[in-house]
Amino acid sequence: MKLPAAPRVPRREDLGSPLHSPAVAARVGVWLGACFGIAFLTGLVSHFAQTTPGWLTFPTRPVSLYRVTQGLHVLSGTAAIPLLLVKLWTVYPRFFLRPGPRLRQVVVHALERASVGILVAAAIFELASGLLNSTQWYPWHFGFRRTHYAVGWLAIGALVLHISVKLPVIRTALGLPISADVGDGGAEPPNQPAASGSPEPSETSEQPEPVGISRRSLVRTALAASAVAVVATAGATVPLLRRVSVFGVRSGQGPQGVPINKSALAAHVTDLARHPGYRLTVVNGSRTASLSLDELNAMRQYEYALPISCVEGWSASGMWGGVRIKDLLTLVGAPSDSNLKVVSLQPAGAFAVTHLPSQFTRDDLTLLALRLAGQTLDIDHGYPCRLIAPDRPGVLQTKWVERLEVVA
Amino acid sequence: MRRTRVLLAMAGVVLIAVGARKLLDIGSANTVATGRWLIGGVVLHDFVLTPVVLVAGALLVRAAAPWLRRPLIVGSVVLGTVTVVAIPMLGKYGARRDNPTLLDRNYVAGWFVLAAVVTVAVAVAALGARYRDGKRAGAGAARSGPDSAEEESAMGGRAARGPQPS
């Protein structure tokens, strides 16, 4: 690899390593594109799970569907980080590419630059903001959920546009052995058909300095790094990997064997939740039922194993015990497939009030949980009672519930 | 292919427009804060991280003996990129005193374990390469140019195989 000798802006030719090749970029790009595709689709699932539009009914089965899709979302993003770093390193010399003298060339060059600029900016933004969010680190002033969602569209759009621009180069590069030379002439087809079509392709036309690693090794190294990143973090959602995931954001431990996302202290709810005069209110129009904790415990109890699957990508399964939501509805004469407003004791916060669609309300597995792992619910898990429904994002499994309200 | 490319390009532009619209809809203050991070990420990567990696890589390749180069590069790429992933965990910036279940590992110790595993793998692969080089030199098999056999063994030479009877 050559380094610029004098302090001037480097030119394309300065970075002459044969590793800076479309042969590498295309191969790493396929994996990177797959990661972004998975992250985008699972991101849509999560978006719809949280802000269910009218035309969509989010399913309640399989109970771990959201656990899987959101785990995939975070893991595909994590896997993409080493791939993106290697990919950008590979194409870095193109940063110094200059357009030809003609106006058309300048315009095409500028357009391609703009599309690549959006792609790189959006890709780095999505991976960085997603990674930081998985550790609940928010050193920024934008709203994470909506912004991460919007920029996700930017990223996937710029990626599709990029594939369109690069399709001839990608096809040529993938159709040839990895050691073959491929022109990286951008929008134009490769301009060295003779070189790329030769029966015994050389590493490069002008032999650069030895680099110590082959193109194939570089691609495999990128994939290995990606795999290591996944294994090192996946323990937060895959119990089997907990011991080897040295960078997992959750070890899986917590009160009653389940980690927590927001403590009672952080929700400013401790005194309210521990108040001896606590009563749950169930409202259906003018009919109201008010139940003490003892009265809730006297109702018919059920116990189910359901996961808590957080949008941050961690998840854990617990054995939840309590009363069925639909049993509570019968107390106020409401049909079991009612839509519900679930109100928490927490005085503020985006998820202090949540909406429970009818497919969850009528589900046998949807509980107002009073116990976890056979014990009275820990205050950080939502004592005196919390909502637990199958296949729901954790933020919507409202804790410290004080009121259930039937909505039309 | 031309048709496919045109369709892809149009789809891409539409998706970008959807994203831009969704972003602008959140509000102007949010857009400014987002723009700062969008540009900041590119600047940090293109003008800080990549030049550092290019220089460090060039120095590494020149300083290392030929039999050490490939294992060293592979090990550095793996450890380096995974370390970038681990920055938020290593710093525990999101940790909260009221929630001991979040970021509840000793990540620095975890990093040293990973670094040790990578170092051992690099050492094994490098010794293997040196052993093979030595055998080849002993057998008098003079070779020049890129080593195609090495190219084939690629990652395998890094960790799993070690010295192999050829």
Side-chain angles (χ1 to χ4, degrees), chain A residues 1-3 15 20 40 47 78 81-82 84-86 88-89 92 95 115 117-118 120-122 124-125 128 131-132 134-144 146-147 149-151 153-154 156-158 160-161 163-168 171 178-179 186-188 203 207 209-218 220-222 224-226 228-229 232-233 235 241-255 258-266 380, chain B residues 1 4-27 29-31 33-43 45-51 53-55 57-59 61-62 66 69-71 73-75 77-90 92-114 118 146-148 150-156 158 161:
Chain A
M1 183 185 312
K2 286 178 202 164
L3 280 176
L15 301 146
H20 296 289
F40 182 71
H47 180 78
T78 306
I81 293 173
L84 182 69
L85 290 169
V86 171
L88 289 178
W89 180 87
Y92 192 64
F95 187 79
S115 76
I118 296 173
V120 174
I124 293 175
F125 181 94
L131 175 69
L132 267 55
S134 79
T135 69
Q136 298 195 19
W137 178 23
Y138 305 103
W140 48 62
H141 298 289
F142 52 82
F144 172 76
R146 292 184 69 188
T147 309
Y149 177 63
V151 179
W153 286 84
L154 280 184
I156 209 74
V160 170
L161 184 58
I163 292 169
S164 156
V165 171
K166 293 292 181 189
L167 202 54
R171 286 173 60 134
I178 193 166
S179 55
E188 308 299 328
E203 271 282 282
Q207 200 66 41
E209 289 172 51
V211 284
I213 183 172
S214 69
R215 288 175 181 170
R216 181 170 288 124
S217 296
L218 180 59
R220 290 182 184 178
T221 302
S226 181
V228 171
T233 55
L241 289 174
R242 273 176 191 164
R243 297 194 61 177
V244 291
S245 285
V246 290
F247 301 131
V249 291
R250 309 272 176 166
S251 68
Q253 283 160 356
V258 177
I260 56 164
N261 225 35
K262 192 168 201 173
S263 71
L265 204 67
D380 285 332
Chain B
M1 181 156 85
T4 315
R5 290 183 72 194
V6 170
L7 284 176
L8 280 175
M10 291 192 321
V13 170
V14 168
L15 290 169
I16 290 173
V18 169
R21 179 67 199 271
K22 284 183 188 297
L23 184 58
L24 293 173
D25 276 353
I26 305 173
N30 192 81
T31 306
T34 307
R36 211 169 273 160
W37 275 73
L38 279 167
I39 296 165
V42 175
V43 169
H45 176 270
D46 284 7
F47 297 100
V48 180
L49 183 64
T50 306
V53 169
L54 283 173
V55 172
L59 293 178
V61 168
R62 280 175 197 191
R69 274 179 200 161
R70 189 171 49 176
I73 293 171
V74 171
V77 172
V78 171
L79 190 58
T81 56
V82 175
T83 301
V84 169
V85 172
I87 288 172
M89 294 84 170
L90 289 168
K92 290 196 180 190
Y93 304 101
R96 296 179 55 97
R97 207 171 288 167
D98 63 276
N99 187 357
T101 73
L102 168 68
L103 295 168
D104 58 348
R105 287 171 179 270
N106 186 342
Y107 298 104
V108 177
W111 187 88
F112 277 107
V113 169
L114 178 69
V118 171
D147 189 333
S148 58
E150 287 221 333
E151 161 123 6
E152 285 311 312
S153 77
M155 280 296 297
R158 182 173 71 96
R161 294 185 197 170

Side-chain angles (χ1 to χ4, degrees), chain A residues 307-365:
Chain A
I308 282 284
S309 323
C310 251
V311 287
E312 288 91 356
W314 69 267
S315 60
S317 196
M319 188 56 96
W320 306 89
V323 298
R324 279 181 179 161
I325 293 285
K326 60 181 179 185
D327 288 354
L328 289 166
L329 292 186
T330 57
L331 297 178
V332 290
S336 61
D337 60 347
S338 303
N339 293 303
L340 271 189
K341 191 166 101 178
V342 182
V343 185
S344 170
L345 286 167
Q346 59 189 111
F351 296 97
V353 177
T354 57
H355 180 79
L356 188 71
S358 58
Q359 74 269 26
F360 292 104
T361 314
R362 66 165 169 260
D363 198 295
D364 284 350
L365 301 187

Side-chain angles (χ1 to χ4, degrees), chain B residues 120-140:
Chain B
V120 168
V122 167
V124 168
L127 290 177
R130 201 178 176 187
Y131 174 74
R132 281 196 302 272
D133 284 357
K135 273 194 103 174
R136 212 176 286 134

